[in-house]
Amino acid sequence: MAAQRQYEELARQLSAIGAVKRGLGRGLPHDCPGGSAAVLVVLERHGAMRMSRLAELLAVDMSVTSRHVAHVAEREWIVRDPDPADKRSRILRLTPEGKAKVDELSELSIRTLTHYLHDWTDDEVVQLSTLLARLRDSFGDCRAASARLSDVPTTRTPA
């Protein structure tokens, strides 16, 4: 297990990731903010699904998911079909226009990352991707984790 000072440094570095996310967000088209882009990418990656599953995969509340879904539906990037198993629910799926938007977003992300990471080796990019995936997996469903954090003992090092 890492030492307390290593976790403190990791916390500092993770808080600085906000600047990276904002930099990537500035490269998004004005009609597709980050939350909407995330909806499209998840649907492209995982296929059609209920909104509850989408919220779970995005690790955000249903109200937030609903706003993003409404935004992408208004632009006809997704459709909300009745769920044959439960007519009160909807199945979300990408339209061809939505798939085209995902392709555009992917190209923009690749260009942005290529610009900022031009001096990184392929191995460094692979290592970062691997570690970020592992970090995300360690957190699992972040919505449920906040309830469990109260059970985790706080460790403090003497000053």
Side-chain angles (χ1 to χ4, degrees):
M1 188 162 157
Q4 181 73 19
R5 63 182 166 68
Q6 291 168 315
Y7 285 123
E8 290 169 355
E9 178 58 23
L10 178 58
R12 281 191 288 278
Q13 293 301 324
L14 288 174
S15 68
I17 290 292
V20 173
K21 286 184 68 174
R22 287 186 296 279
L24 288 170
R26 282 190 285 276
L28 292 173
H30 293 293
D31 64 344
C32 191
S36 297
V39 166
L40 296 175
V41 169
V42 168
L43 287 172
E44 200 271 334
R45 184 172 297 143
H46 296 278
M49 67 185 70
R50 286 183 174 184
M51 188 154 359
S52 57
R53 176 68 176 144
L54 179 62
E56 181 182 306
L57 290 170
L58 293 172
V60 296
D61 291 331
M62 283 291 284
S63 62
V64 174
T65 304
S66 288
R67 283 194 304 271
H68 296 315
V69 165
H71 183 266
V72 297
E74 288 169 8
R75 283 150 185 79
E76 298 182 351
W77 295 333
I78 67 164
V79 291
R80 297 178 272 197
D81 294 325
D83 183 345
D86 179 358
K87 298 294 183 195
R88 296 168 298 170
S89 294
R90 298 281 181 242
I91 300 291
L92 310 174
R93 81 177 155 75
L94 280 179
T95 62
E97 295 83 5
K99 174 66 173 118
K101 182 55 80 172
V102 170
D103 293 344
E104 175 189 348
L105 296 171
S106 178
E107 179 59 34
L108 286 169
S109 292
I110 290 167
R111 278 194 306 212
T112 302
L113 290 168
T114 300
H115 172 77
Y116 286 106
L117 305 181
H118 69 276
D119 58 342
W120 288 45
T121 67
D122 288 349
D123 287 343
E124 289 170 327
V125 173
V126 167
Q127 182 180 13
L128 177 61
S129 294
T130 301
L131 291 172
L132 287 172
R134 184 174 176 194
L135 176 66
R136 179 67 180 104
D137 288 345
S138 292
F139 275 75
D141 185 348
C142 298
R143 296 171 307 156
S146 61
R148 293 188 311 264
L149 286 178
S150 61
D151 298 336
V152 177
T154 305
T155 56
R156 305 273 314 172
T157 54

